[in-house]
Amino acid sequence: ALIQCKTSTLNWQQRNLEGYVGFANLPNQVYRKSVKRGFEFTLMVVGESGLGKSTLINSLFLTDLYSKDYPGPSQRIKKTVQVEQSKVLVKEGGVQLTLTIVDTPGFGDAVDNSNCWQPVINYIDSKCEDFLNAESRVNRRSMPDNRVHCCLYFIAPSGHGLKPLDIEFMKRLHDKVNVIPLIAKADTLTPEECQLFKKQIMKEIQEHKIKIYEFPDTEDDEDNKLIRKIKEKMPLAVVGSNVVIEVNGKKVRGRQYPWGVAEVENGEHCDFTVLRNMLIRTHMQDLKDVTNNVHYENYRSKKLAAVTCNGVDASKTKGQLTKSPLAQMEEERRDHVMKMKKMEAEMEQVFEMKVKEKKQKLKDSEAELERRHEQMKRNLEAQYKELEEKRRVFEEEKVNWEAQQRILEQQKLDASKTMEKNKKKGKIF
Amino acid sequence: MANTPRSRVNLLSKAISGTHSSTGGSTLLGYIGIDTIIEQMRKKTMKTGFDFNIMVVGHSGLGKSTLVNTLFKSQVSRRSAGWARDEKIPKTVEIKSVSHVIEEGGVKMKLTLVDTPGFGDQINNDNCWEPISKFINEQYEKFLKEEVNITRKKRIPDTRVHCCLYFISPTGHSLRQLDIEFMKRLSHSVNIIPIIAKADTMTTEERQEFKQRVRKELEMSGIEFYPQKEFDDDMEDKSDNDKIREAMPFAVVGSDKEYQVNGKRVLGRKTAWGVVEVENPNHCEFAQLRDFLIRSHLQDLKEVTHNIHYETYRAKRLNENGGLHPISSSDTQESNL
């Protein structure tokens, strides 16, 4: 086995190995560890209502994240833009993915849409801040990554170009998150209109210097060719559907019109397969890396620069970044101790409560027992009395009977006596 | 032009002679020729021609210009798909009106198309209906001023908006807030006909559901679109209009390109999975809209505008200032001098 290093900056020496060492197995170890750990991915969808965002998510992940009972935008009459997140755990081939979908209902729906991007920006920033705080802790055993890895922006298929709202939004978010613009409901456009539209959009994106997500070049030429093909198709024109229709004996997912069936997974009808492959099969990890290395670092350096520059932090951090590590450790320890104390106090409370409950129960049962005891005693006494009564009666009877017996005996005795007397008198006949 | 068939006249005269009118009408003893007045009217209108003003409202990209071109089968409005895009979306709603004279069967029509670019395109669309409302009222004002003149022109040029086609975006869910606001405010000053644009976005079931929802919302918001229920003259009108109201808003597709389908040339849109035929009633309701708008209710639209909307405006105006002073013909006198 030969070791080759691609970084030409360092002067590595190539060494030949004389036997099989075995570190070629490293990728497998990494693989096994990652599979055990599972993966996380956060996807945000932004666009006006009625552009088919929920349908597309359902189609991408072949699930019903947004079921038919999920209230559609017509019922979600909210006056401000909301940011909602829903988590789903999907498993495939032993690999576990925690997928978080962030939805932004109400975006662009009002009459006055100024600053409708603000809640979205706030959400992204708050997730980055959470991660920053978690990273700066001394004890960071568990660091859940809730940062938004990718933002799918849905453009209405007008056929003209970008709307002012689209431009504003993308300008404000292109350096905070990976923005992938999509043409929604692409079955509205004929192939020529679609081409024109895509060109127009790309021109405007370049004009306004919007930085959408760029596919990285790889060393492999084959892959590069594919990537270039994908780049030419940007922005991707997608159609979503989970309804299965039969076309020429084949079952496909699509939309049934009186004039034909628009197939979702047909490359000539729309770019859905391109999007799915790119998003899930090839570039998911890259999206996460770019989020981590570029967008998050931007956020972090801006945040920290603001702090060190002014000395006073304008935004509200937990003050963890202004102290030296030792002080921070102290603070953390204090935090931890306080947390422990609180937990203790809570546990004590719970314990007390439980004890009280138990005592109460016992008291109750005692009272119950007492009562039963009393009752039984009374029963017993009653029975005793009864028995006494019976006994008395019996005694009386006995006495009577004995008296009678005595009388009888006496009579018998008398009778025998008289008989004897008679016998004695010899009056025997 | 003696095209009047004698048989028709005879039938009519029989009908007239057979009725007893409440005003004590007498039965005719012979053919007089009163019914030729229809023919005379026809001749006159053909000479003078008539005008029709239609306004299209909706945010950009909904196919308004394409639809108008398809309706009138000519390039009455420049197709924005061919924009070089140096015409950016205007910052405020503009009103652009273009007039064309089209002729068919000897009948001349001066068609004025009023376009409203910039409607609903901004980030903040508050009050974007105001320029439109102002424009409509300005046209009424112009007409009113002309009418109130002492020396009136023989034929007052009619620039009032007879019909406003409002384009609803085919989201598949419901009306947008902006749609409701606009229609609420303008349904009392102009005839609004709501249309679902780009209907080839939706499958047949989705279209039905969407229509139901839109109709319900319109009802709930109290929006009276044309044909308004309160203006139905008689039972016949009512039943016709009821049928139309049930089918509204029409879901339309516009196109001015032709394709071969089954050996016929049809107007349509060619996609990778089929051709959407514009005039096929199974595909979309364009044919219904065209028949309704042009072939049956064109005159009615003008009449409702004149008799009802214009009168409302006039009454309001005259009550406001305690009456308008008729503009003395000092200007015309000056020009004569």
Side-chain angles (χ1 to χ4, degrees), chain B residues 5 14 19 27 29 50 59 92 115 150 159 172 191 200-201 211 217 266 268 289 313 333:
Chain B
K14 279 216 184 74
T19 51
T27 53
L29 301 167
F50 53 105
H59 60 84
T92 54
D115 197 0
I150 295 180
T159 54
N191 295 321
D200 54 344
T201 317
K211 264 213 238 185
E217 279 202 20
V266 285
L289 172 71
Y313 177 80
Q333 278 180 354

PDB file of all heavy atoms in Angstrom, chain B residues 5 14 19 27 29 50 59 92 115 150 159 172 191 200-201 211 217 266 268 289 313 333:
ATOM      1  N   PRO B   5     -86.012  39.234 -43.023  1.00  0.00           N
ATOM      2  CA  PRO B   5     -86.864  38.236 -43.692  1.00  0.00           C
ATOM      3  C   PRO B   5     -88.334  38.561 -43.440  1.00  0.00           C
ATOM      4  O   PRO B   5     -88.728  38.878 -42.333  1.00  0.00           O
ATOM      5  CB  PRO B   5     -86.455  36.928 -43.045  1.00  0.00           C
ATOM      6  CG  PRO B   5     -85.676  37.282 -41.846  1.00  0.00           C
ATOM      7  CD  PRO B   5     -85.264  38.704 -41.936  1.00  0.00           C
ATOM      8  N   LYS B  14     -97.944  39.361 -36.163  1.00  0.00           N
ATOM      9  CA  LYS B  14     -98.998  38.517 -35.611  1.00  0.00           C
ATOM     10  C   LYS B  14     -98.957  38.589 -34.101  1.00  0.00           C
ATOM     11  O   LYS B  14     -99.984  38.719 -33.442  1.00  0.00           O
ATOM     12  CB  LYS B  14     -98.810  37.062 -36.053  1.00  0.00           C
ATOM     13  CG  LYS B  14     -99.309  36.763 -37.428  1.00  0.00           C
ATOM     14  CD  LYS B  14     -99.912  35.355 -37.484  1.00  0.00           C
ATOM     15  CE  LYS B  14    -100.314  35.032 -38.919  1.00  0.00           C
ATOM     16  NZ  LYS B  14     -99.208  34.754 -39.816  1.00  0.00           N
ATOM     17  N   THR B  19    -101.581  40.610 -28.982  1.00  0.00           N
ATOM     18  CA  THR B  19    -101.451  40.929 -27.554  1.00  0.00           C
ATOM     19  C   THR B  19    -102.335  42.103 -27.183  1.00  0.00           C
ATOM     20  O   THR B  19    -102.590  42.981 -27.974  1.00  0.00           O
ATOM     21  CB  THR B  19    -100.013  41.316 -27.195  1.00  0.00           C
ATOM     22  OG1 THR B  19     -99.586  42.322 -28.099  1.00  0.00           O
ATOM     23  CG2 THR B  19     -99.104  40.120 -27.291  1.00  0.00           C
ATOM     24  N   THR B  27    -104.798  46.730 -31.628  1.00  0.00           N
ATOM     25  CA  THR B  27    -104.257  45.704 -32.494  1.00  0.00           C
ATOM     26  C   THR B  27    -104.008  46.314 -33.855  1.00  0.00           C
ATOM     27  O   THR B  27    -104.770  47.147 -34.341  1.00  0.00           O
ATOM     28  CB  THR B  27    -105.241  44.547 -32.631  1.00  0.00           C
ATOM     29  OG1 THR B  27    -106.501  45.090 -33.044  1.00  0.00           O
ATOM     30  CG2 THR B  27    -105.436  43.842 -31.294  1.00  0.00           C
ATOM     31  N   LEU B  29    -103.709  46.555 -37.774  1.00  0.00           N
ATOM     32  CA  LEU B  29    -104.513  46.017 -38.859  1.00  0.00           C
ATOM     33  C   LEU B  29    -103.657  45.638 -40.048  1.00  0.00           C
ATOM     34  O   LEU B  29    -104.121  45.079 -41.001  1.00  0.00           O
ATOM     35  CB  LEU B  29    -105.573  47.047 -39.291  1.00  0.00           C
ATOM     36  CG  LEU B  29    -106.493  47.425 -38.125  1.00  0.00           C
ATOM     37  CD1 LEU B  29    -107.315  48.655 -38.470  1.00  0.00           C
ATOM     38  CD2 LEU B  29    -107.399  46.259 -37.796  1.00  0.00           C
ATOM     39  N   PHE B  50     -68.543  51.226 -31.604  1.00  0.00           N
ATOM     40  CA  PHE B  50     -68.707  51.468 -30.183  1.00  0.00           C
ATOM     41  C   PHE B  50     -67.394  51.146 -29.462  1.00  0.00           C
ATOM     42  O   PHE B  50     -66.513  50.514 -30.012  1.00  0.00           O
ATOM     43  CB  PHE B  50     -69.874  50.692 -29.597  1.00  0.00           C
ATOM     44  CG  PHE B  50     -69.843  49.222 -29.875  1.00  0.00           C
ATOM     45  CD1 PHE B  50     -69.503  48.332 -28.878  1.00  0.00           C
ATOM     46  CD2 PHE B  50     -70.173  48.742 -31.125  1.00  0.00           C
ATOM     47  CE1 PHE B  50     -69.502  46.988 -29.124  1.00  0.00           C
ATOM     48  CE2 PHE B  50     -70.165  47.382 -31.364  1.00  0.00           C
ATOM     49  CZ  PHE B  50     -69.837  46.503 -30.370  1.00  0.00           C
ATOM     50  N   HIS B  59     -51.017  40.920 -10.031  1.00  0.00           N
ATOM     51  CA  HIS B  59     -49.572  41.158  -9.966  1.00  0.00           C
ATOM     52  C   HIS B  59     -48.859  40.493 -11.139  1.00  0.00           C
ATOM     53  O   HIS B  59     -49.430  39.666 -11.843  1.00  0.00           O
ATOM     54  CB  HIS B  59     -48.994  40.763  -8.610  1.00  0.00           C
ATOM     55  CG  HIS B  59     -49.183  39.338  -8.250  1.00  0.00           C
ATOM     56  ND1 HIS B  59     -48.341  38.343  -8.660  1.00  0.00           N
ATOM     57  CD2 HIS B  59     -50.087  38.731  -7.470  1.00  0.00           C
ATOM     58  CE1 HIS B  59     -48.735  37.193  -8.157  1.00  0.00           C
ATOM     59  NE2 HIS B  59     -49.778  37.410  -7.432  1.00  0.00           N
ATOM     60  N   THR B  92     -44.388  52.406  -7.991  1.00  0.00           N
ATOM     61  CA  THR B  92     -45.787  52.610  -7.610  1.00  0.00           C
ATOM     62  C   THR B  92     -46.632  52.082  -8.753  1.00  0.00           C
ATOM     63  O   THR B  92     -46.154  51.901  -9.858  1.00  0.00           O
ATOM     64  CB  THR B  92     -46.128  54.087  -7.416  1.00  0.00           C
ATOM     65  OG1 THR B  92     -45.763  54.778  -8.603  1.00  0.00           O
ATOM     66  CG2 THR B  92     -45.401  54.657  -6.237  1.00  0.00           C
ATOM     67  N   ASP B 115     -53.846  48.876 -18.387  1.00  0.00           N
ATOM     68  CA  ASP B 115     -52.988  47.944 -17.661  1.00  0.00           C
ATOM     69  C   ASP B 115     -52.506  48.590 -16.368  1.00  0.00           C
ATOM     70  O   ASP B 115     -52.381  49.818 -16.292  1.00  0.00           O
ATOM     71  CB  ASP B 115     -51.801  47.568 -18.554  1.00  0.00           C
ATOM     72  CG  ASP B 115     -51.111  46.323 -18.069  1.00  0.00           C
ATOM     73  OD1 ASP B 115     -51.556  45.758 -17.048  1.00  0.00           O
ATOM     74  OD2 ASP B 115     -50.136  45.909 -18.698  1.00  0.00           O
ATOM     75  N   ILE B 150     -73.245  72.846 -20.868  1.00  0.00           N
ATOM     76  CA  ILE B 150     -74.440  73.417 -21.487  1.00  0.00           C
ATOM     77  C   ILE B 150     -74.496  73.010 -22.952  1.00  0.00           C
ATOM     78  O   ILE B 150     -75.511  72.527 -23.444  1.00  0.00           O
ATOM     79  CB  ILE B 150     -74.434  74.949 -21.356  1.00  0.00           C
ATOM     80  CG1 ILE B 150     -74.527  75.290 -19.881  1.00  0.00           C
ATOM     81  CG2 ILE B 150     -75.601  75.538 -22.127  1.00  0.00           C
ATOM     82  CD1 ILE B 150     -74.532  76.771 -19.616  1.00  0.00           C
ATOM     83  N   THR B 159     -64.725  57.031 -21.708  1.00  0.00           N
ATOM     84  CA  THR B 159     -63.482  56.381 -21.276  1.00  0.00           C
ATOM     85  C   THR B 159     -63.669  55.639 -19.969  1.00  0.00           C
ATOM     86  O   THR B 159     -62.707  55.191 -19.360  1.00  0.00           O
ATOM     87  CB  THR B 159     -62.380  57.426 -21.052  1.00  0.00           C
ATOM     88  OG1 THR B 159     -62.882  58.402 -20.144  1.00  0.00           O
ATOM     89  CG2 THR B 159     -61.970  58.065 -22.347  1.00  0.00           C
ATOM     90  N   GLY B 172     -54.049  27.554  -5.081  1.00  0.00           N
ATOM     91  CA  GLY B 172     -54.675  26.288  -4.714  1.00  0.00           C
ATOM     92  C   GLY B 172     -55.227  26.315  -3.310  1.00  0.00           C
ATOM     93  O   GLY B 172     -55.913  25.383  -2.891  1.00  0.00           O
ATOM     94  N   ASN B 191     -67.382  47.108 -12.529  1.00  0.00           N
ATOM     95  CA  ASN B 191     -67.737  45.688 -12.635  1.00  0.00           C
ATOM     96  C   ASN B 191     -66.478  44.859 -12.520  1.00  0.00           C
ATOM     97  O   ASN B 191     -65.593  44.952 -13.357  1.00  0.00           O
ATOM     98  CB  ASN B 191     -68.358  45.387 -14.007  1.00  0.00           C
ATOM     99  CG  ASN B 191     -69.661  46.099 -14.204  1.00  0.00           C
ATOM    100  OD1 ASN B 191     -70.453  46.210 -13.277  1.00  0.00           O
ATOM    101  ND2 ASN B 191     -69.883  46.609 -15.407  1.00  0.00           N
ATOM    102  N   ASP B 200     -53.497  26.122 -15.814  1.00  0.00           N
ATOM    103  CA  ASP B 200     -52.859  24.835 -16.091  1.00  0.00           C
ATOM    104  C   ASP B 200     -51.928  24.412 -14.970  1.00  0.00           C
ATOM    105  O   ASP B 200     -51.249  23.410 -15.069  1.00  0.00           O
ATOM    106  CB  ASP B 200     -52.123  24.871 -17.432  1.00  0.00           C
ATOM    107  CG  ASP B 200     -51.150  26.013 -17.528  1.00  0.00           C
ATOM    108  OD1 ASP B 200     -51.249  26.931 -16.706  1.00  0.00           O
ATOM    109  OD2 ASP B 200     -50.305  26.004 -18.430  1.00  0.00           O
ATOM    110  N   THR B 201     -51.888  25.198 -13.892  1.00  0.00           N
ATOM    111  CA  THR B 201     -51.133  24.794 -12.716  1.00  0.00           C
ATOM    112  C   THR B 201     -51.863  23.717 -11.943  1.00  0.00           C
ATOM    113  O   THR B 201     -51.263  22.957 -11.200  1.00  0.00           O
ATOM    114  CB  THR B 201     -50.990  25.986 -11.759  1.00  0.00           C
ATOM    115  OG1 THR B 201     -50.673  27.118 -12.523  1.00  0.00           O
ATOM    116  CG2 THR B 201     -49.939  25.751 -10.731  1.00  0.00           C
ATOM    117  N   LYS B 211     -61.944  26.748  -6.674  1.00  0.00           N
ATOM    118  CA  LYS B 211     -63.053  27.623  -7.068  1.00  0.00           C
ATOM    119  C   LYS B 211     -64.075  27.737  -5.967  1.00  0.00           C
ATOM    120  O   LYS B 211     -64.563  28.830  -5.648  1.00  0.00           O
ATOM    121  CB  LYS B 211     -63.742  27.040  -8.302  1.00  0.00           C
ATOM    122  CG  LYS B 211     -63.285  27.614  -9.581  1.00  0.00           C
ATOM    123  CD  LYS B 211     -64.409  27.644 -10.544  1.00  0.00           C
ATOM    124  CE  LYS B 211     -64.033  26.858 -11.764  1.00  0.00           C
ATOM    125  NZ  LYS B 211     -65.075  26.984 -12.763  1.00  0.00           N
ATOM    126  N   GLU B 217     -65.185  32.442  -0.050  1.00  0.00           N
ATOM    127  CA  GLU B 217     -64.533  33.606   0.555  1.00  0.00           C
ATOM    128  C   GLU B 217     -65.114  34.901   0.033  1.00  0.00           C
ATOM    129  O   GLU B 217     -65.290  35.862   0.773  1.00  0.00           O
ATOM    130  CB  GLU B 217     -63.028  33.573   0.265  1.00  0.00           C
ATOM    131  CG  GLU B 217     -62.303  32.676   1.182  1.00  0.00           C
ATOM    132  CD  GLU B 217     -60.843  33.011   1.286  1.00  0.00           C
ATOM    133  OE1 GLU B 217     -60.465  34.142   0.954  1.00  0.00           O
ATOM    134  OE2 GLU B 217     -60.106  32.128   1.700  1.00  0.00           O
ATOM    135  N   VAL B 266     -54.598  24.311 -33.051  1.00  0.00           N
ATOM    136  CA  VAL B 266     -55.265  24.913 -31.899  1.00  0.00           C
ATOM    137  C   VAL B 266     -54.319  25.857 -31.192  1.00  0.00           C
ATOM    138  O   VAL B 266     -53.099  25.694 -31.247  1.00  0.00           O
ATOM    139  CB  VAL B 266     -55.714  23.843 -30.878  1.00  0.00           C
ATOM    140  CG1 VAL B 266     -56.918  23.114 -31.371  1.00  0.00           C
ATOM    141  CG2 VAL B 266     -54.602  22.887 -30.584  1.00  0.00           C
ATOM    142  N   GLY B 268     -52.547  26.973 -28.001  1.00  0.00           N
ATOM    143  CA  GLY B 268     -52.276  26.218 -26.790  1.00  0.00           C
ATOM    144  C   GLY B 268     -50.875  26.422 -26.262  1.00  0.00           C
ATOM    145  O   GLY B 268     -50.105  27.244 -26.766  1.00  0.00           O
ATOM    146  N   LEU B 289     -65.300  32.026 -20.718  1.00  0.00           N
ATOM    147  CA  LEU B 289     -65.079  33.435 -20.391  1.00  0.00           C
ATOM    148  C   LEU B 289     -65.275  34.309 -21.611  1.00  0.00           C
ATOM    149  O   LEU B 289     -65.911  35.362 -21.551  1.00  0.00           O
ATOM    150  CB  LEU B 289     -63.654  33.629 -19.854  1.00  0.00           C
ATOM    151  CG  LEU B 289     -63.266  35.085 -19.660  1.00  0.00           C
ATOM    152  CD1 LEU B 289     -64.009  35.672 -18.492  1.00  0.00           C
ATOM    153  CD2 LEU B 289     -61.767  35.221 -19.442  1.00  0.00           C
ATOM    154  N   TYR B 313     -71.871  57.259  -8.771  1.00  0.00           N
ATOM    155  CA  TYR B 313     -70.846  58.282  -8.652  1.00  0.00           C
ATOM    156  C   TYR B 313     -71.434  59.666  -8.824  1.00  0.00           C
ATOM    157  O   TYR B 313     -71.135  60.601  -8.066  1.00  0.00           O
ATOM    158  CB  TYR B 313     -69.753  58.026  -9.703  1.00  0.00           C
ATOM    159  CG  TYR B 313     -68.685  59.076  -9.694  1.00  0.00           C
ATOM    160  CD1 TYR B 313     -67.662  59.032  -8.747  1.00  0.00           C
ATOM    161  CD2 TYR B 313     -68.708  60.133 -10.598  1.00  0.00           C
ATOM    162  CE1 TYR B 313     -66.697  60.004  -8.718  1.00  0.00           C
ATOM    163  CE2 TYR B 313     -67.735  61.110 -10.571  1.00  0.00           C
ATOM    164  CZ  TYR B 313     -66.737  61.041  -9.634  1.00  0.00           C
ATOM    165  OH  TYR B 313     -65.782  62.010  -9.594  1.00  0.00           O
ATOM    166  N   GLN B 333     -66.193  79.304 -26.617  1.00  0.00           N
ATOM    167  CA  GLN B 333     -66.416  80.607 -27.271  1.00  0.00           C
ATOM    168  C   GLN B 333     -65.090  81.246 -27.628  1.00  0.00           C
ATOM    169  O   GLN B 333     -64.911  81.780 -28.704  1.00  0.00           O
ATOM    170  CB  GLN B 333     -67.190  81.530 -26.334  1.00  0.00           C
ATOM    171  CG  GLN B 333     -68.673  81.247 -26.384  1.00  0.00           C
ATOM    172  CD  GLN B 333     -69.440  82.165 -25.459  1.00  0.00           C
ATOM    173  OE1 GLN B 333     -68.846  82.930 -24.698  1.00  0.00           O
ATOM    174  NE2 GLN B 333     -70.744  82.099 -25.541  1.00  0.00           N
TER     175      GLN B 333
END
